[in-house]
Amino acid sequence: MKKRVAAVITQYWLNSHADVIISRLLGELGYEPQVELVAMYVEQVTDRDLSHELSAKHGVPICATIEEAVAWGAPERKIDGIVVIGEHGDYPWNEKQQHLYPRLRFMQETLAAMECHGIRVPIFLDKHFSYDNGDARWIYERVKSRGIPFMAGSSIPYTDYVPDFDRSFLQGGRTFFVVSHGGHESYGFHGLEVLQVLAEQRRGAETGVASVHALAGDEMWQAMDRAEWPEALMMNALALEPELSGRHPRYECPNPALFVVAYKDGTMGYVAQLDKFATRWSFAVQEHGDAYIAAYCNTGQERPYSHFTRLTELIEEMILYGTPPCPIERNLLTTYLINTAMESLYQGRPLSLDELGVAYDPRESYS
């Protein structure tokens, strides 16, 4: 008998995160699920909604509240896992250009329902914990204190690298440069997750980040002219896109940004947001001296977006066996990174992360 899952969703439409994850759990998109979706909560229904059509097709009820979805079948047969997708929808933006998705509220109501009905099951939370670092810490502390298997974050770090390379090279990495695209917050988070999954492989456990500095527009290129960040590594990463050969984003990217991450051990990380120029997540990593490797993340460029197949498999594995694919601390740290980067863009200065210390061993999936 398959384990049973409830989904908590903001909006559900073609190619939304709900579609490319939850539709797979329903057996759509050529996917054969190992679990059974038994209930959904969908907060906003638009004229392009898919949830009602798929609800009728698969016999999965749409519940009126988060508690109803989480408690579906209780007490006789409680659910075995929860998928929370607080991405997309008609929610406000703040002055820092952060989209105020209700992930904290979704998690508060989910955890309250679990407590009320005596449920302790794995939870997947799509992308970063929250746009607010305090809210993110609240989520982290609650799931840790309850011993709840918890997975969050991006689909991109779980893709294959092209070309493949000897992972031991990352142990000596001192400078990590990721090329990203899309919105500064929405896709910048993916870029920071790619950065962190590479940087955490350097020798020793992750000891944390000292500061984040975000540069935008001409300020980014002026800093490049002063050799304050490694232009050569950016070009090495971009060279993996044949159509960009010989082209420089300085002259073609309308709204660039650079996230500069200074780690406490002296390692440097960079994420260049090159929307309307780059089209994939690529990276270059340099040791001491001139040795470097470069590769890109092999994401599916068109529907059904194959990188979400791997993500869905990992979600199912956590629900089936209770073991997340990475420490929760990685996702907490990348949440801090994107939130601090957006704050730095807003304030126009580097910001310290000393008071938000996050250290972890990447070899431990859960502690």
Side-chain angles (χ1 to χ4, degrees), residues 46-111:
T46 70
D47 57 5
R48 53 178 177 166
D49 176 69
L50 283 178
S51 65
H52 284 73
E53 173 187 337
L54 293 173
S55 168
K57 178 179 178 180
H58 294 279
V60 177
I62 296 177
C63 300
T65 65
I66 291 175
E67 180 180 3
E68 183 182 354
V70 170
W72 194 260
E76 291 81 10
R77 190 180 175 197
K78 300 174 184 177
I79 59 168
D80 303 294
I82 302 166
V83 176
V84 179
I85 303 181
E87 180 80 359
H88 309 299
D90 184 17
Y91 298 95
W93 295 74
N94 66 14
E95 69 280 3
K96 303 169 192 174
Q97 293 304 300
Q98 293 174 293
H99 209 159
L100 307 185
Y101 291 124
R103 294 175 188 145
L104 173 67
R105 175 166 56 83
F106 275 18
M107 284 297 299
Q108 288 174 327
E109 293 188 33
T110 295
L111 291 170

Side-chain angles (χ1 to χ4, degrees), residues 180-184 187 252-257 272-278:
S180 183
H181 57 101
H184 292 345
Y187 276 48
E252 299 186 51
C253 186
N255 185 30
Q273 284 300 116
L274 303 177
D275 192 30
K276 297 181 173 61
F277 184 77

Side-chain angles (χ1 to χ4, degrees), residues 213-216 219 340-351:
H213 189 193
L215 308 171
E219 184 184 14
T340 308
M342 298 306 293
E343 182 73 33
S344 178
L345 275 178
Y346 179 68
Q347 294 193 24
R349 63 184 180 89
L351 297 172

Side-chain angles (χ1 to χ4, degrees), residues 248-260:
H248 199 293
R250 182 174 198 159
Y251 309 108
E252 299 186 51
C253 186
N255 185 30
L258 180 72
F259 302 156
V260 182

